[in-house]
Amino acid sequence: MLPSVNWILGLGLLSANVARSVELSEHAQALFDQSMSFQDQIYDPEASYLRYFYYPLAAGPHETRSTVWYSIGLLQRNHGDDVKEAVKILENVIGDQEKNSSVQWYGDYTVYPEQPTVGSAAYAPDIYNSWDPNWRGFIGTALIIIYEEFGNLLPTKVQNLILESLHNNTVGDTYRVGGVDGDNLYPAYSNAWLMRTVASSWTGLKLNDSNMTTSGDKWAQDFLDLFDLNNTLSEFNGPTYAGVSLYALTIAAKYLSSTESVIGQNAQRVIQDIWDYESLLWNPNMRNFAGPWDRSYGYDMNKYVAIMSEWIWALIGKEHVWHYSSPIGTMTHADDFELAPVIAVLSEFHKSLLPKTVISRLKSFVGEHTYTGHTFAPPADYEPRNITTWVSANLTIGTDSFNQSVVGGYSEDSTSFSPSVVQWIRPGGSIGYFNLHPSETALKADVAPYALNLTYPLGNETSSFTFVLASNPLGSKRDITGFEDVDGLKIDVVGGTVDPVPEISFCGLVGGTCSIVHNFEFWNLTFSMPANSSDVPSIQFKFTLE
Ligand SMILES: *[C@@H]1O[C@H](CO)[C@@H](O)[C@H](O)[C@H]1NC(C)=O
Ligand SMILES: *[C@@H]1O[C@H](CO)[C@@H](O)[C@H](O)[C@H]1NC(C)=O
Ligand SMILES: *[C@@H]1O[C@H](CO)[C@@H](O)[C@H](O)[C@H]1NC(C)=O
Ligand SMILES: *[C@@H]1O[C@H](CO)[C@@H](O)[C@H](O)[C@H]1NC(C)=O
Ligand SMILES: *[C@@H]1O[C@H](CO)[C@@H](O)[C@H](O)[C@H]1NC(C)=O
Ligand SMILES: *[C@@H]1O[C@H](CO)[C@@H](O)[C@H](O)[C@H]1NC(C)=O
Ligand SMILES: *[C@@H]1O[C@H](CO)[C@@H](O)[C@H](O)[C@H]1NC(C)=O
Ligand SMILES: *[C@@H]1O[C@H](CO)[C@@H](O)[C@H](O)[C@H]1NC(C)=O
Ligand SMILES: *[C@@H]1O[C@H](CO)[C@@H](O)[C@H](O)[C@H]1NC(C)=O
Ligand SMILES: *[C@@H]1O[C@H](CO)[C@@H](O)[C@H](O)[C@H]1NC(C)=O
Ligand SMILES: *[C@@H]1O[C@H](CO)[C@@H](O)[C@H](O)[C@H]1NC(C)=O
Ligand SMILES: *[C@@H]1O[C@H](CO)[C@@H](O)[C@H](O)[C@H]1NC(C)=O
């Protein structure tokens, strides 16, 4: 005869099972529930994978990394078949982990389970495309959370499979060397570097492998050597990737702080330092980090899913990050909402590390202030960048001065490197933006309240300053023919060596003369130098809120 539920409860057996879930705050639970109810809809139990939810939407295939994140959600929820599904997911994903230790992607996981074999005749190894070296870091750190928080829910066989997977993952990750074989993993690639460091340190301790702990400690020190220059991430103020760095550091703080591991010893302090400056850059009125941004996936955080927004939601509530009622699936980069259950599971511990000042700065605007700091991301940076950000209630101006070896910052991408960002609140409450689209390897930027001066020290007569200007909100002018048409902000060119009249074009979703950026359409305002000018290119602005 089967024992009754009451009998089990009486012995505390069932409650022990339930108690294995991590305690979530009301905010974290809301984040968790919204993400899980979305993911439940795209989970395919026959495949034991989530469907591939990414832009452009794929016709049919499933996706690996998000499925592992979802499995954390399943284990946390632990209703019905949740644990059974999580077990199938883990066996499948680890089953397809690369097993040939001679290939560069050894220990890595598939991008999607239907993909052809990487390295086969039809499917050449193409780093960050046909295989993604960061998937070791993302999936490896997720496996650590699963082992630590939910290991007891899993059969011993699956627990051991996780350790074996992490072993190969960690060995494969040692193959990554910045500048070799197309890889760009230097210590300045903060989020990816930290995930590798944490995975190697944890796995080395768990498996008693001193090669791994030694590597983890060395990588931690390499990270700290950069971080401690001014207590900033080299991958500075990225609304997506600062969130990933905090994720990796939280794992170190939670599971490694009582060990000798260098990252475990330092994680809490680094988390606090990151939030110290991020909370000064956060404008709660705008629900945006003021610029400058390294590697951003858009120009207004209200309109795309950034991982930092998920952290802030878990800490203080959704209304502080997204006040639109539109479903999250209508935002760009919505696939990053698949990480939300993982953020939720870590968030209460994470919050316990933060001083009260950080939480209060996130909640309500602390008053006009200027942040100044530095960050250094070699080999792209020849010298540290100087950050100056003026933050006021309804207008922010944030810049960095840089001297780099490439155009577009560390990731050589002008669509995501935003070294000069102006944001303001428009009538009706939406956010306007006027951001430099970088085209040079060096910039001098000077900021004062309501003022911005930009100079290209290495530029010449062929240089131009291109700005990405937000379309006006619905109900305001649809056409921009000059600064007088911009909603909510008076922009004046008050000096500089450029022709003060810009060429204006539209980079639209279905028309115009140039391409959208990260699914944001915008007006392109380009200022050129007068023909045959021998001046150093510069432009000076004054801004007035209307
Ligand atoms: C492993 O990869 C190496 C290098 O590509 C290749 O020569 C070897 O045949 C592979 N081994 C197996 C078992 O596939
Ligand atoms: C780990 O790699 C070894 C080869 O080095 C392979 O035999 C084994 O199957 C791999 N384990 C997993 C879980 O992929
Ligand atoms: C870990 O390795 C060290 C050095 O090889 C050894 O002395 C120690 O007994 C090992 N500990 C465990 C738990 O295996
Ligand atoms: C540690 O690294 C050395 C040198 O590469 C190697 O000989 C040894 O087998 C490694 N130890 C483990 C446990 O992998
Ligand atoms: C960063 O550097 C600036 C200028 O050197 C200094 O004033 C400031 O105290 C530094 N901040 C931190 C957190 O180290
Ligand atoms: C900012 O805008 C709000 C209305 O959106 C207004 O009440 C407030 O006075 C403005 N603050 C400043 C400093 O301009
Ligand atoms: C940053 O500021 C320092 C001190 O003013 C200056 O020497 C350095 O050239 C600046 N760096 C850049 C990239 O502008
Ligand atoms: C940028 O750095 C390079 C290499 O250190 C140096 O030669 C050059 O003078 C710097 N340029 C500017 C504009 O500071
Ligand atoms: C910008 O340049 C003008 C003209 O040189 C100068 O008067 C102003 O102070 C500068 N503003 C900033 C913020 O450096
Ligand atoms: C201006 O700079 C560009 C880019 O560095 C260079 O290709 C071009 O030759 C320069 N033109 C003049 C006239 O110096
Ligand atoms: C902006 O417009 C200019 C022409 O005025 C064009 O050369 C440039 O490629 C455009 N840039 C972007 C990012 O759309
Ligand atoms: C620029 O210089 C070229 C060659 O020196 C000359 O042909 C041209 O007329 C000049 N253009 C202007 C606008 O002065």
Side-chain angles (χ1 to χ4, degrees):
M1 201 180 96
L2 288 171
S4 75
V5 170
N6 279 342
W7 182 82
I8 295 173
L9 276 176
L11 287 180
L13 294 178
L14 206 63
S15 56
N17 215 29
V18 170
R20 287 195 182 106
S21 297
V22 177
E23 200 77 44
L24 301 189
S25 72
E26 185 194 338
H27 300 312
Q29 188 69 50
L31 174 68
F32 182 90
D33 290 344
Q34 283 197 34
S35 179
M36 286 301 284
S37 76
F38 166 68
Q39 297 195 62
D40 288 342
Q41 291 173 53
I42 63 168
Y43 182 63
D44 178 356
E46 282 180 26
S48 312
Y49 276 95
L50 289 178
R51 296 184 195 282
Y52 201 149
F53 180 69
Y54 194 68
Y55 300 103
L57 290 168
H62 300 83
E63 212 247 331
T64 304
R65 182 182 64 159
S66 57
T67 304
V68 176
W69 293 338
Y70 178 63
S71 76
I72 291 183
L74 292 171
L75 292 166
Q76 165 70 14
R77 187 170 62 188
N78 189 10
H79 289 166
D81 286 341
D82 284 348
V83 171
K84 213 173 94 200
E85 293 301 324
V87 165
K88 284 198 303 179
I89 288 169
L90 293 168
E91 287 176 341
N92 283 344
V93 169
I94 296 171
D96 276 350
Q97 188 177 8
E98 178 59 53
K99 305 202 189 314
N100 185 341
S101 61
S102 306
V103 297
Q104 196 188 346
W105 53 99
Y106 173 56
D108 205 354
Y109 308 86
T110 60
V111 174
Y112 65 101
E114 292 90 345
Q115 70 184 41
T117 301
V118 176
S120 61
Y123 210 60
D126 184 2
I127 191 167
Y128 293 116
N129 288 299
S130 63
W131 69 285
D132 194 319
N134 290 342
W135 266 220
R136 292 195 200 96
F138 277 113
I139 293 174
T141 48
L143 292 178
I144 292 170
I145 297 173
I146 290 171
Y147 190 93
E148 288 276 4
E149 302 290 345
F150 309 109
N152 291 340
L153 294 177
L154 302 173
T156 311
K157 171 175 76 103
V158 176
Q159 293 179 43
N160 290 335
L161 192 59
I162 287 174
L163 293 181
E164 185 184 332
S165 178
L166 276 164
H167 175 272
N168 291 5
N169 175 323
T170 303
V171 171
D173 244 1
T174 64
Y175 300 0
R176 298 193 73 177
V177 179
V180 176
D181 294 334
D183 208 325
N184 65 340
L185 186 59
Y186 297 93
Y189 190 177
S190 310
N191 87 88
W193 187 270
L194 282 168
M195 288 192 292
R196 177 173 76 164
T197 299
V198 171
S200 187
S201 298
W202 187 92
T203 306
L205 284 167
K206 188 57 72 182
L207 300 182
N208 202 17
D209 182 326
S210 63
N211 285 355
M212 292 181 184
T213 50
T214 302
S215 298
D217 286 346
K218 184 192 175 302
W219 294 332
Q221 196 52 57
D222 291 343
F223 166 80
L224 292 168
D225 288 347
L226 282 176
F227 186 84
D228 289 345
L229 290 176
N230 204 224
N231 300 353
T232 52
L233 290 172
S234 302
E235 195 173 38
F236 184 77
N237 192 33
T240 296
Y241 292 111
V244 178
S245 292
L246 288 171
Y247 155 81
L249 288 161
T250 305
I251 293 169
K254 190 160 192 196
Y255 311 125
L256 296 175
S257 63
S258 62
T259 72
E260 299 281 284
S261 124
V262 173
I263 198 65
Q265 292 288 309
N266 284 276
Q268 173 168 352
R269 165 182 74 89
V270 171
I271 289 169
Q272 289 170 346
D273 287 344
I274 292 170
W275 276 114
D276 188 54
Y277 69 82
E278 289 295 357
S279 62
L280 287 170
L281 293 170
W282 179 250
N283 184 320
N285 300 339
M286 297 187 187
R287 300 164 305 279
N288 265 278
F289 289 105
W293 308 311
D294 284 353
R295 303 191 67 217
S296 80
Y297 288 138
Y299 299 118
D300 171 8
M301 290 174 70
N302 294 283
K303 301 213 164 134
Y304 72 98
V305 174
I307 292 167
M308 286 300 269
S309 301
E310 296 174 20
W311 279 116
I312 296 174
W313 174 341
L315 294 173
I316 60 174
K318 183 184 186 184
E319 69 277 16
H320 293 278
V321 288
W322 296 316
H323 70 162
Y324 299 107
S325 52
S326 182
I328 281 153
T330 64
M331 297 173 78
T332 178
H333 237 270
D335 53 302
D336 273 349
F337 198 53
E338 297 174 322
L339 179 63
V342 184
I343 299 291
V345 161
L346 294 176
S347 63
E348 279 310 281
F349 172 77
H350 187 81
K351 190 173 188 177
S352 76
L353 306 178
L354 303 186
K356 293 234 160 20
T357 46
V358 163
I359 301 294
S360 69
R361 285 176 191 164
L362 294 176
K363 274 188 180 156
S364 56
F365 186 59
V366 291
E368 183 182 330
H369 57 277
T370 299
Y371 167 83
T372 56
H374 310 277
T375 185
F376 188 37
D381 281 326
Y382 285 134
E383 51 185 302
R385 284 176 278 155
N386 297 327
I387 318 283
T388 312
T389 301
W390 176 66
V391 188
S392 77
N394 300 339
L395 173 64
T396 64
I397 308 174
T399 61
D400 51 17
S401 295
F402 58 83
N403 177 14
Q404 301 184 321
S405 58
V406 288
V407 172
Y410 185 93
S411 57
E412 303 176 38
D413 179 4
S414 295
T415 69
S416 64
F417 180 54
S418 295
S420 174
V421 175
V422 178
Q423 287 184 308
W424 67 99
I425 302 184
R426 305 186 289 199
S430 66
I431 305 303
Y433 46 86
F434 179 69
N435 301 350
L436 183 69
H437 191 273
S439 55
E440 299 259 335
T441 58
L443 176 73
K444 288 276 174 213
D446 294 299
V447 172
Y450 302 99
L452 169 66
N453 292 356
L454 299 176
T455 304
Y456 289 145
L458 305 178
N460 63 30
E461 57 174 341
T462 69
S463 301
S464 58
F465 293 85
T466 290
F467 293 87
V468 167
L469 170 69
S471 294
N472 285 332
L474 187 62
S476 299
K477 286 183 182 168
R478 286 193 280 150
D479 301 306
I480 303 268
T481 57
F483 281 131
E484 64 281 4
D485 296 323
V486 175
D487 204 44
L489 188 71
K490 189 161 173 288
I491 303 175
D492 291 304
V493 178
V494 293
T497 57
V498 295
D499 176 348
V501 180
E503 190 180 324
I504 301 181
S505 49
F506 186 62
C507 309
L509 281 170
V510 290
T513 55
C514 37
S515 308
I516 55 175
V517 167
H518 295 298
N519 298 315
F520 281 67
E521 59 174 10
F522 58 91
W523 293 89
N524 169 337
L525 273 62
T526 295
F527 295 87
S528 302
M529 294 294 286
N532 297 346
S533 170
S534 55
D535 290 333
V536 175
S538 67
I539 188 163
Q540 296 162 3
F541 294 102
K542 184 134 193 47
F543 303 98
T544 316
L545 280 165
E546 291 180 327

